[in-house]
Amino acid sequence: MITELVIKSVAVFITSYILSRGIKMSGFLVAVVVAIILGALNVLVKPLLLLLTLPVNILSLGLFTFVVNAIIVEITAFIVPGFSVSNFVWAILFSVVLSTVNVILNVLL
């Protein structure tokens, strides 16, 4: 469990570094908090959002899930001080790059 948290925190930190023009993070401790909050929101809020947006998600062939992920990132940026997202497009990019970095780190470690 601690290993997963460290991997996810490193992934958040790397992603914020890659997208430094639109994502601002004040340090690694903030990355740990962001990883915890993102995980909690993905468990608690995301299923409800996906259920509420199911018709739109079906019509868009699942692409609306990117919007739901961006909403989760925006909520996290609102909750966590020291973590900010410039706009909605950066939130979508953050969720896509974070997923990619997470996969790469999980394969490597």
Side-chain angles (χ1 to χ4, degrees), residues 5-62:
L5 178 62
V6 169
I7 290 172
K8 291 189 186 312
S9 301
V10 169
V12 167
F13 194 73
I14 290 171
T15 303
S16 70
Y17 180 76
I18 292 170
L19 301 175
S20 61
R21 291 188 68 197
I23 308 294
K24 302 296 180 211
M25 187 168 306
S26 60
F28 187 74
L29 185 61
V30 174
V32 173
V33 174
V34 167
I36 292 169
I37 298 295
L38 272 176
L41 288 174
N42 278 332
V43 168
L44 300 172
V45 177
K46 189 174 179 179
L48 180 64
L49 284 176
L50 287 175
L51 184 65
L52 291 173
T53 60
L54 187 61
V56 177
N57 214 348
I58 290 171
L59 287 174
S60 69
L61 302 175

Side-chain angles (χ1 to χ4, degrees), residues 46-93:
K46 189 174 179 179
L48 180 64
L49 284 176
L50 287 175
L51 184 65
L52 291 173
T53 60
L54 187 61
V56 177
N57 214 348
I58 290 171
L59 287 174
S60 69
L61 302 175
L63 292 177
F64 198 75
T65 305
F66 289 120
V67 174
V68 171
N69 287 339
I71 291 169
I72 298 293
V73 171
E74 290 282 354
I75 293 171
T76 303
F78 180 75
I79 293 173
V80 178
F83 176 65
S84 65
V85 180
S86 295
N87 56 35
F88 202 70
V89 174
W90 284 105
I92 292 173
L93 284 172

